[in-house]
Amino acid sequence: MMRCPRCRIGYTGHLDACALCGSALEGTPTDAVFPQSALVKPKKLAKRWLLGITIACIIATVAAGVLVGASVVLICAVALAVLLNYVFVRNIIVHAPDFIRMVERYFLVLLGVALLLFFATGARAIPSFAIPLVCIIALLSNGVLVILFRDSFVQGYAKYLLYDVVLGMVPLAFLIAGVVRTPALSIASAVVSVLLLVLMLGLTRTQLAAEMRKLFNA
């Protein structure tokens, strides 16, 4: 049986990583109690359907934009956002990441789409509300996970935590640039970003330092 050295959970079947923390499993693989279903998810078919739906959405986006007289920049930005979503979902189909890793990546996708739409439209509501809210939700979610799982979470998701701490300062940069209507959410995002960093340094300092060495010495 394969066993996670951190979570102390045993796994049957042929798995490489723990479903909870992502750590490499130790031990000898054993057959699962229930045999693998013959109805395996047809990844090729799923990718084809996803590609077809994405192409249809991009065509519909362009057609709708032309009908309403939207600018070429806005049409291209929305089409690019649809394409970005395609890349993300295709990655899930191909690599089947664990749930937490998928959520961490989706926060980054949402932030990327919001930034893309802002640079395409110049709408101040995006840096004033949408971007700070995405950052705050991501930071608070990671703060809860750090408190609950501590070193095991930092070990598996250190790079995402680093991304979130840095990106939590993006709303403050927009505030300094003078494109934000109300400063409250931008300041809150920066404060929560600092608090998450302080929390990690307080609870997982040793593991965090080890993971940072791995990331920057790779």
Side-chain angles (χ1 to χ4, degrees):
M1 176 180 288
M2 301 292 283
R3 183 172 295 276
C4 175
R6 291 192 170 273
C7 301
R8 308 296 180 186
I9 297 175
Y11 291 92
T12 57
H14 297 271
L15 298 175
D16 297 322
C18 176
L20 294 177
C21 69
S23 299
L25 298 179
E26 299 175 349
T28 304
T30 57
D31 291 334
V33 177
F34 297 100
Q36 186 176 10
S37 173
L39 299 176
V40 179
K41 185 178 180 180
K43 290 186 177 182
K44 290 185 178 180
L45 182 60
K47 288 189 290 184
R48 289 173 184 171
W49 273 98
L50 178 63
L51 179 60
I53 291 171
T54 301
I55 292 174
C57 288
I58 291 176
I59 293 173
T61 296
V62 174
V66 172
L67 287 175
V68 301
S71 66
V72 175
V73 175
L74 179 58
I75 294 174
C76 290
V78 176
L80 190 57
V82 174
L83 187 60
L84 185 62
N85 187 75
Y86 162 77
V87 172
F88 176 77
V89 177
R90 187 181 186 279
N91 180 267
I92 293 175
I93 294 173
V94 173
H95 300 290
D98 62 80
F99 178 74
I100 294 178
R101 198 174 304 277
M102 183 178 68
V103 172
E104 293 285 350
R105 291 174 181 175
Y106 202 60
F107 278 130
L108 299 178
V109 171
L110 290 176
L111 187 59
V113 170
L115 289 169
L116 181 65
L117 292 177
F118 169 68
F119 289 124
T121 64
R124 293 195 173 190
I126 296 175
S128 299
F129 302 103
I131 292 176
L133 283 174
V134 170
C135 291
I136 290 171
I137 292 171
L139 290 165
L140 290 176
S141 300
N142 281 317
V144 171
L145 291 171
V146 168
I147 292 172
L148 292 176
F149 299 106
R150 303 201 180 190
D151 287 348
S152 60
F153 181 67
V154 171
Q155 181 189 35
Y157 306 95
K159 64 180 179 180
Y160 296 106
L161 289 167
L162 181 62
Y163 293 155
D164 286 341
V165 168
V166 173
L167 293 174
M169 295 295 177
V170 170
L172 190 61
F174 281 118
L175 178 62
I176 295 172
V179 296
V180 173
R181 291 177 180 174
T182 54
L185 288 176
S186 297
I187 295 173
S189 177
V191 170
V192 176
S193 178
V194 172
L195 289 176
L196 177 60
L197 180 60
V198 171
L199 182 68
M200 289 189 294
L201 291 174
L203 297 180
T204 63
R205 184 187 304 108
T206 303
Q207 187 64 48
L208 182 63
E211 295 303 319
M212 290 300 105
R213 284 194 295 270
K214 290 179 185 177
L215 288 174
F216 293 108
N217 292 332

